[in-house]
Amino acid sequence: MDKAHPASTPMIGRSLDIMKDPFRPKDDDEEVLGAEIPYLSAIGALLYLAQCTRLDIAFSVNLLARFSSEPTQRHWNDINKESDIPYSEIPNDILVGFADAGYLSDPHKGRSQTGYVFTIGNTTISWKFTKQTLVATSSNHSEIIALHEAV
């Protein structure tokens, strides 16, 4: 990690082109990492951080955890990227909520992602990120599905 460089976002950009997506499953010409690479240990440590203190990395860590059975060097490189997301100062008595739906967050299965987070001050009190159960045909459709599934 001494050669890692902090990024302004916790995840690299994705592409709707399945062959250009850095989070695609293992290609036929890629080799699976050996036991000497602590992929599962790194995922476990990052999942702990995502659950306890670094909600901003939860989506990307859960995405990388999907490849635990066949991790490649590409996935390992994504784990080794650090994030440095600054948080703004919000008074402790204000409840703030954010919700969004990402169209085609998983282009391999045709599913969109829905998520919300509620905070009081700098403390997360409730959050959820999940794949939508229905296949959306547009970004507007994914927002409607998110509204329907939230009820």
Side-chain angles (χ1 to χ4, degrees):
M1 296 300 293
D2 61 340
K3 294 180 184 170
H5 301 286
S8 61
T9 59
M11 189 170 118
I12 60 174
R14 296 190 69 188
S15 173
L16 293 180
D17 181 358
I18 293 174
M19 295 313 296
K20 292 181 181 176
D21 184 16
F23 293 99
R24 67 186 179 276
K26 182 181 98 49
D27 294 332
D28 292 336
D29 60 342
E30 287 184 298
E31 291 186 26
V32 176
L33 293 177
E36 70 279 359
I37 305 293
Y39 189 86
L40 292 176
S41 295
I43 288 291
L46 290 171
L47 283 171
Y48 176 79
L49 286 176
Q51 290 284 335
C52 297
T53 61
R54 293 294 306 269
L55 181 62
D56 57 321
I57 66 171
F59 177 77
S60 55
V61 172
N62 282 299
L63 186 60
L64 288 167
R66 295 177 191 172
F67 306 108
S68 294
S69 62
E70 287 189 321
T72 65
Q73 187 63 44
R74 179 171 32 92
H75 301 124
W76 180 244
N77 292 342
D78 290 337
I79 283 181
N80 288 322
K81 292 184 178 149
E82 290 184 27
S83 349
D84 187 19
I85 307 296
Y87 292 97
S88 60
E89 292 297 321
I90 299 174
N92 286 337
D93 59 348
I94 296 177
L95 174 68
V96 179
F98 299 97
D100 197 10
Y103 173 60
L104 229 60
S105 301
D106 183 0
H108 306 284
K109 304 229 187 246
R111 299 299 169 118
S112 299
Q113 191 87 13
T114 299
Y116 68 80
V117 61
F118 289 96
T119 62
I120 294 181
N122 291 329
T123 304
T124 300
I125 58 171
S126 178
W127 66 275
K128 179 180 179 181
F129 296 99
T130 184
K131 281 186 186 179
Q132 293 181 352
T133 57
L134 300 173
V135 176
T137 57
S138 68
S139 59
N140 188 31
H141 191 203
S142 71
E143 297 283 347
I144 292 169
I145 292 171
L147 179 62
H148 180 271
E149 290 183 354
V151 176

PDB file of all heavy atoms in Angstrom, residues 68-90:
ATOM      1  N   SER A  68     -15.011 -12.989  -5.072  1.00  0.00           N
ATOM      2  CA  SER A  68     -14.198 -13.701  -4.088  1.00  0.00           C
ATOM      3  C   SER A  68     -13.863 -15.122  -4.507  1.00  0.00           C
ATOM      4  O   SER A  68     -12.831 -15.658  -4.124  1.00  0.00           O
ATOM      5  CB  SER A  68     -14.904 -13.733  -2.732  1.00  0.00           C
ATOM      6  OG  SER A  68     -15.002 -12.428  -2.220  1.00  0.00           O
ATOM      7  N   SER A  69     -14.720 -15.763  -5.293  1.00  0.00           N
ATOM      8  CA  SER A  69     -14.442 -17.147  -5.692  1.00  0.00           C
ATOM      9  C   SER A  69     -13.433 -17.229  -6.833  1.00  0.00           C
ATOM     10  O   SER A  69     -12.731 -18.237  -6.949  1.00  0.00           O
ATOM     11  CB  SER A  69     -15.733 -17.860  -6.095  1.00  0.00           C
ATOM     12  OG  SER A  69     -16.315 -17.216  -7.211  1.00  0.00           O
ATOM     13  N   GLU A  70     -13.339 -16.187  -7.663  1.00  0.00           N
ATOM     14  CA  GLU A  70     -12.387 -16.177  -8.782  1.00  0.00           C
ATOM     15  C   GLU A  70     -11.784 -14.782  -8.953  1.00  0.00           C
ATOM     16  O   GLU A  70     -11.970 -14.136  -9.986  1.00  0.00           O
ATOM     17  CB  GLU A  70     -13.071 -16.595 -10.085  1.00  0.00           C
ATOM     18  CG  GLU A  70     -13.403 -18.062 -10.168  1.00  0.00           C
ATOM     19  CD  GLU A  70     -13.880 -18.431 -11.565  1.00  0.00           C
ATOM     20  OE1 GLU A  70     -14.611 -17.635 -12.190  1.00  0.00           O
ATOM     21  OE2 GLU A  70     -13.508 -19.515 -12.023  1.00  0.00           O
ATOM     22  N   PRO A  71     -11.033 -14.275  -7.969  1.00  0.00           N
ATOM     23  CA  PRO A  71     -10.447 -12.943  -8.118  1.00  0.00           C
ATOM     24  C   PRO A  71      -9.286 -12.968  -9.113  1.00  0.00           C
ATOM     25  O   PRO A  71      -8.555 -13.952  -9.214  1.00  0.00           O
ATOM     26  CB  PRO A  71      -9.954 -12.609  -6.712  1.00  0.00           C
ATOM     27  CG  PRO A  71      -9.659 -13.940  -6.099  1.00  0.00           C
ATOM     28  CD  PRO A  71     -10.678 -14.888  -6.688  1.00  0.00           C
ATOM     29  N   THR A  72      -9.139 -11.881  -9.841  1.00  0.00           N
ATOM     30  CA  THR A  72      -8.036 -11.752 -10.792  1.00  0.00           C
ATOM     31  C   THR A  72      -7.144 -10.588 -10.362  1.00  0.00           C
ATOM     32  O   THR A  72      -7.461  -9.860  -9.416  1.00  0.00           O
ATOM     33  CB  THR A  72      -8.560 -11.483 -12.211  1.00  0.00           C
ATOM     34  OG1 THR A  72      -9.214 -10.199 -12.228  1.00  0.00           O
ATOM     35  CG2 THR A  72      -9.542 -12.559 -12.658  1.00  0.00           C
ATOM     36  N   GLN A  73      -6.061 -10.401 -11.063  1.00  0.00           N
ATOM     37  CA  GLN A  73      -5.152  -9.291 -10.770  1.00  0.00           C
ATOM     38  C   GLN A  73      -5.880  -7.947 -10.929  1.00  0.00           C
ATOM     39  O   GLN A  73      -5.633  -7.014 -10.179  1.00  0.00           O
ATOM     40  CB  GLN A  73      -3.927  -9.345 -11.694  1.00  0.00           C
ATOM     41  CG  GLN A  73      -2.858  -8.333 -11.349  1.00  0.00           C
ATOM     42  CD  GLN A  73      -2.258  -8.555  -9.972  1.00  0.00           C
ATOM     43  OE1 GLN A  73      -1.953  -9.681  -9.604  1.00  0.00           O
ATOM     44  NE2 GLN A  73      -2.089  -7.493  -9.207  1.00  0.00           N
ATOM     45  N   ARG A  74      -6.797  -7.864 -11.873  1.00  0.00           N
ATOM     46  CA  ARG A  74      -7.583  -6.642 -12.089  1.00  0.00           C
ATOM     47  C   ARG A  74      -8.395  -6.313 -10.844  1.00  0.00           C
ATOM     48  O   ARG A  74      -8.433  -5.159 -10.400  1.00  0.00           O
ATOM     49  CB  ARG A  74      -8.493  -6.855 -13.302  1.00  0.00           C
ATOM     50  CG  ARG A  74      -9.382  -5.717 -13.635  1.00  0.00           C
ATOM     51  CD  ARG A  74     -10.096  -5.927 -14.965  1.00  0.00           C
ATOM     52  NE  ARG A  74     -10.403  -7.297 -15.306  1.00  0.00           N
ATOM     53  CZ  ARG A  74     -11.553  -7.910 -15.012  1.00  0.00           C
ATOM     54  NH1 ARG A  74     -12.480  -7.266 -14.353  1.00  0.00           N
ATOM     55  NH2 ARG A  74     -11.765  -9.155 -15.388  1.00  0.00           N
ATOM     56  N   HIS A  75      -9.016  -7.314 -10.238  1.00  0.00           N
ATOM     57  CA  HIS A  75      -9.798  -7.087  -9.026  1.00  0.00           C
ATOM     58  C   HIS A  75      -8.884  -6.715  -7.847  1.00  0.00           C
ATOM     59  O   HIS A  75      -9.224  -5.859  -7.029  1.00  0.00           O
ATOM     60  CB  HIS A  75     -10.629  -8.323  -8.677  1.00  0.00           C
ATOM     61  CG  HIS A  75     -11.577  -8.717  -9.767  1.00  0.00           C
ATOM     62  ND1 HIS A  75     -11.562  -9.968 -10.327  1.00  0.00           N
ATOM     63  CD2 HIS A  75     -12.531  -8.022 -10.414  1.00  0.00           C
ATOM     64  CE1 HIS A  75     -12.494 -10.033 -11.257  1.00  0.00           C
ATOM     65  NE2 HIS A  75     -13.092  -8.851 -11.339  1.00  0.00           N
ATOM     66  N   TRP A  76      -7.734  -7.366  -7.755  1.00  0.00           N
ATOM     67  CA  TRP A  76      -6.780  -7.072  -6.680  1.00  0.00           C
ATOM     68  C   TRP A  76      -6.280  -5.635  -6.789  1.00  0.00           C
ATOM     69  O   TRP A  76      -6.130  -4.939  -5.784  1.00  0.00           O
ATOM     70  CB  TRP A  76      -5.628  -8.064  -6.728  1.00  0.00           C
ATOM     71  CG  TRP A  76      -4.591  -7.842  -5.672  1.00  0.00           C
ATOM     72  CD1 TRP A  76      -3.290  -7.489  -5.878  1.00  0.00           C
ATOM     73  CD2 TRP A  76      -4.747  -7.953  -4.254  1.00  0.00           C
ATOM     74  NE1 TRP A  76      -2.638  -7.379  -4.673  1.00  0.00           N
ATOM     75  CE2 TRP A  76      -3.514  -7.662  -3.659  1.00  0.00           C
ATOM     76  CE3 TRP A  76      -5.819  -8.269  -3.437  1.00  0.00           C
ATOM     77  CZ2 TRP A  76      -3.324  -7.670  -2.299  1.00  0.00           C
ATOM     78  CZ3 TRP A  76      -5.623  -8.275  -2.066  1.00  0.00           C
ATOM     79  CH2 TRP A  76      -4.391  -7.986  -1.513  1.00  0.00           C
ATOM     80  N   ASN A  77      -6.036  -5.163  -7.997  1.00  0.00           N
ATOM     81  CA  ASN A  77      -5.595  -3.780  -8.196  1.00  0.00           C
ATOM     82  C   ASN A  77      -6.661  -2.801  -7.716  1.00  0.00           C
ATOM     83  O   ASN A  77      -6.334  -1.749  -7.148  1.00  0.00           O
ATOM     84  CB  ASN A  77      -5.268  -3.524  -9.660  1.00  0.00           C
ATOM     85  CG  ASN A  77      -4.041  -4.286 -10.121  1.00  0.00           C
ATOM     86  OD1 ASN A  77      -3.240  -4.751  -9.315  1.00  0.00           O
ATOM     87  ND2 ASN A  77      -3.907  -4.446 -11.417  1.00  0.00           N
ATOM     88  N   ASP A  78      -7.937  -3.135  -7.936  1.00  0.00           N
ATOM     89  CA  ASP A  78      -9.015  -2.258  -7.478  1.00  0.00           C
ATOM     90  C   ASP A  78      -9.089  -2.208  -5.958  1.00  0.00           C
ATOM     91  O   ASP A  78      -9.414  -1.177  -5.386  1.00  0.00           O
ATOM     92  CB  ASP A  78     -10.357  -2.718  -8.050  1.00  0.00           C
ATOM     93  CG  ASP A  78     -10.462  -2.471  -9.546  1.00  0.00           C
ATOM     94  OD1 ASP A  78      -9.741  -1.593 -10.053  1.00  0.00           O
ATOM     95  OD2 ASP A  78     -11.259  -3.161 -10.206  1.00  0.00           O
ATOM     96  N   ILE A  79      -8.783  -3.308  -5.289  1.00  0.00           N
ATOM     97  CA  ILE A  79      -8.773  -3.325  -3.817  1.00  0.00           C
ATOM     98  C   ILE A  79      -7.674  -2.420  -3.285  1.00  0.00           C
ATOM     99  O   ILE A  79      -7.847  -1.736  -2.274  1.00  0.00           O
ATOM    100  CB  ILE A  79      -8.579  -4.763  -3.285  1.00  0.00           C
ATOM    101  CG1 ILE A  79      -9.879  -5.530  -3.414  1.00  0.00           C
ATOM    102  CG2 ILE A  79      -8.122  -4.766  -1.837  1.00  0.00           C
ATOM    103  CD1 ILE A  79      -9.812  -6.935  -2.909  1.00  0.00           C
ATOM    104  N   ASN A  80      -6.543  -2.381  -3.952  1.00  0.00           N
ATOM    105  CA  ASN A  80      -5.394  -1.629  -3.459  1.00  0.00           C
ATOM    106  C   ASN A  80      -5.493  -0.129  -3.663  1.00  0.00           C
ATOM    107  O   ASN A  80      -4.610   0.599  -3.253  1.00  0.00           O
ATOM    108  CB  ASN A  80      -4.108  -2.165  -4.100  1.00  0.00           C
ATOM    109  CG  ASN A  80      -3.743  -3.515  -3.540  1.00  0.00           C
ATOM    110  OD1 ASN A  80      -3.913  -3.773  -2.366  1.00  0.00           O
ATOM    111  ND2 ASN A  80      -3.244  -4.383  -4.384  1.00  0.00           N
ATOM    112  N   LYS A  81      -6.562   0.339  -4.271  1.00  0.00           N
ATOM    113  CA  LYS A  81      -6.738   1.779  -4.439  1.00  0.00           C
ATOM    114  C   LYS A  81      -7.328   2.356  -3.164  1.00  0.00           C
ATOM    115  O   LYS A  81      -8.309   1.852  -2.634  1.00  0.00           O
ATOM    116  CB  LYS A  81      -7.652   2.057  -5.622  1.00  0.00           C
ATOM    117  CG  LYS A  81      -6.992   1.666  -6.914  1.00  0.00           C
ATOM    118  CD  LYS A  81      -7.847   2.024  -8.064  1.00  0.00           C
ATOM    119  CE  LYS A  81      -7.042   1.636  -9.284  1.00  0.00           C
ATOM    120  NZ  LYS A  81      -7.799   1.234 -10.381  1.00  0.00           N
ATOM    121  N   GLU A  82      -6.728   3.389  -2.671  1.00  0.00           N
ATOM    122  CA  GLU A  82      -7.222   4.038  -1.448  1.00  0.00           C
ATOM    123  C   GLU A  82      -8.205   5.126  -1.814  1.00  0.00           C
ATOM    124  O   GLU A  82      -8.185   5.667  -2.898  1.00  0.00           O
ATOM    125  CB  GLU A  82      -6.066   4.666  -0.674  1.00  0.00           C
ATOM    126  CG  GLU A  82      -5.141   3.660  -0.048  1.00  0.00           C
ATOM    127  CD  GLU A  82      -4.075   4.326   0.771  1.00  0.00           C
ATOM    128  OE1 GLU A  82      -4.301   5.428   1.282  1.00  0.00           O
ATOM    129  OE2 GLU A  82      -3.008   3.736   0.895  1.00  0.00           O
ATOM    130  N   SER A  83      -9.093   5.465  -0.861  1.00  0.00           N
ATOM    131  CA  SER A  83      -9.997   6.593  -1.054  1.00  0.00           C
ATOM    132  C   SER A  83      -9.770   7.620   0.028  1.00  0.00           C
ATOM    133  O   SER A  83      -9.447   7.284   1.137  1.00  0.00           O
ATOM    134  CB  SER A  83     -11.452   6.188  -0.991  1.00  0.00           C
ATOM    135  OG  SER A  83     -11.644   4.848  -0.997  1.00  0.00           O
ATOM    136  N   ASP A  84      -9.956   8.859  -0.342  1.00  0.00           N
ATOM    137  CA  ASP A  84      -9.809   9.953   0.607  1.00  0.00           C
ATOM    138  C   ASP A  84     -10.955  10.924   0.357  1.00  0.00           C
ATOM    139  O   ASP A  84     -10.792  11.915  -0.333  1.00  0.00           O
ATOM    140  CB  ASP A  84      -8.456  10.630   0.433  1.00  0.00           C
ATOM    141  CG  ASP A  84      -8.201  11.670   1.508  1.00  0.00           C
ATOM    142  OD1 ASP A  84      -8.879  11.609   2.545  1.00  0.00           O
ATOM    143  OD2 ASP A  84      -7.339  12.524   1.294  1.00  0.00           O
ATOM    144  N   ILE A  85     -12.132  10.622   0.889  1.00  0.00           N
ATOM    145  CA  ILE A  85     -13.320  11.432   0.662  1.00  0.00           C
ATOM    146  C   ILE A  85     -13.476  12.401   1.834  1.00  0.00           C
ATOM    147  O   ILE A  85     -13.671  11.974   2.964  1.00  0.00           O
ATOM    148  CB  ILE A  85     -14.586  10.557   0.568  1.00  0.00           C
ATOM    149  CG1 ILE A  85     -14.401   9.462  -0.461  1.00  0.00           C
ATOM    150  CG2 ILE A  85     -15.805  11.401   0.269  1.00  0.00           C
ATOM    151  CD1 ILE A  85     -14.232   9.945  -1.858  1.00  0.00           C
ATOM    152  N   PRO A  86     -13.382  13.703   1.560  1.00  0.00           N
ATOM    153  CA  PRO A  86     -13.585  14.659   2.658  1.00  0.00           C
ATOM    154  C   PRO A  86     -15.073  14.781   2.996  1.00  0.00           C
ATOM    155  O   PRO A  86     -15.916  14.719   2.120  1.00  0.00           O
ATOM    156  CB  PRO A  86     -13.053  15.973   2.080  1.00  0.00           C
ATOM    157  CG  PRO A  86     -13.189  15.819   0.607  1.00  0.00           C
ATOM    158  CD  PRO A  86     -13.057  14.362   0.310  1.00  0.00           C
ATOM    159  N   TYR A  87     -15.363  14.908   4.261  1.00  0.00           N
ATOM    160  CA  TYR A  87     -16.737  15.096   4.713  1.00  0.00           C
ATOM    161  C   TYR A  87     -16.920  16.542   5.144  1.00  0.00           C
ATOM    162  O   TYR A  87     -16.058  17.124   5.778  1.00  0.00           O
ATOM    163  CB  TYR A  87     -17.053  14.177   5.899  1.00  0.00           C
ATOM    164  CG  TYR A  87     -17.079  12.729   5.527  1.00  0.00           C
ATOM    165  CD1 TYR A  87     -15.963  11.927   5.722  1.00  0.00           C
ATOM    166  CD2 TYR A  87     -18.207  12.174   4.964  1.00  0.00           C
ATOM    167  CE1 TYR A  87     -15.989  10.597   5.371  1.00  0.00           C
ATOM    168  CE2 TYR A  87     -18.240  10.844   4.603  1.00  0.00           C
ATOM    169  CZ  TYR A  87     -17.126  10.062   4.820  1.00  0.00           C
ATOM    170  OH  TYR A  87     -17.148   8.751   4.462  1.00  0.00           O
ATOM    171  N   SER A  88     -18.064  17.127   4.806  1.00  0.00           N
ATOM    172  CA  SER A  88     -18.325  18.499   5.221  1.00  0.00           C
ATOM    173  C   SER A  88     -18.829  18.505   6.659  1.00  0.00           C
ATOM    174  O   SER A  88     -19.372  17.512   7.145  1.00  0.00           O
ATOM    175  CB  SER A  88     -19.370  19.140   4.303  1.00  0.00           C
ATOM    176  OG  SER A  88     -20.571  18.412   4.369  1.00  0.00           O
ATOM    177  N   GLU A  89     -18.642  19.611   7.302  1.00  0.00           N
ATOM    178  CA  GLU A  89     -19.087  19.735   8.684  1.00  0.00           C
ATOM    179  C   GLU A  89     -20.574  20.066   8.711  1.00  0.00           C
ATOM    180  O   GLU A  89     -21.027  21.060   8.152  1.00  0.00           O
ATOM    181  CB  GLU A  89     -18.298  20.842   9.395  1.00  0.00           C
ATOM    182  CG  GLU A  89     -16.835  20.499   9.601  1.00  0.00           C
ATOM    183  CD  GLU A  89     -16.668  19.287  10.506  1.00  0.00           C
ATOM    184  OE1 GLU A  89     -17.423  19.143  11.485  1.00  0.00           O
ATOM    185  OE2 GLU A  89     -15.767  18.484  10.218  1.00  0.00           O
ATOM    186  N   ILE A  90     -21.374  19.231   9.329  1.00  0.00           N
ATOM    187  CA  ILE A  90     -22.811  19.431   9.456  1.00  0.00           C
ATOM    188  C   ILE A  90     -23.124  19.428  10.947  1.00  0.00           C
ATOM    189  O   ILE A  90     -22.662  18.552  11.671  1.00  0.00           O
ATOM    190  CB  ILE A  90     -23.595  18.307   8.745  1.00  0.00           C
ATOM    191  CG1 ILE A  90     -23.255  18.302   7.260  1.00  0.00           C
ATOM    192  CG2 ILE A  90     -25.090  18.474   8.951  1.00  0.00           C
ATOM    193  CD1 ILE A  90     -23.869  17.149   6.503  1.00  0.00           C
TER     194      ILE A  90
END
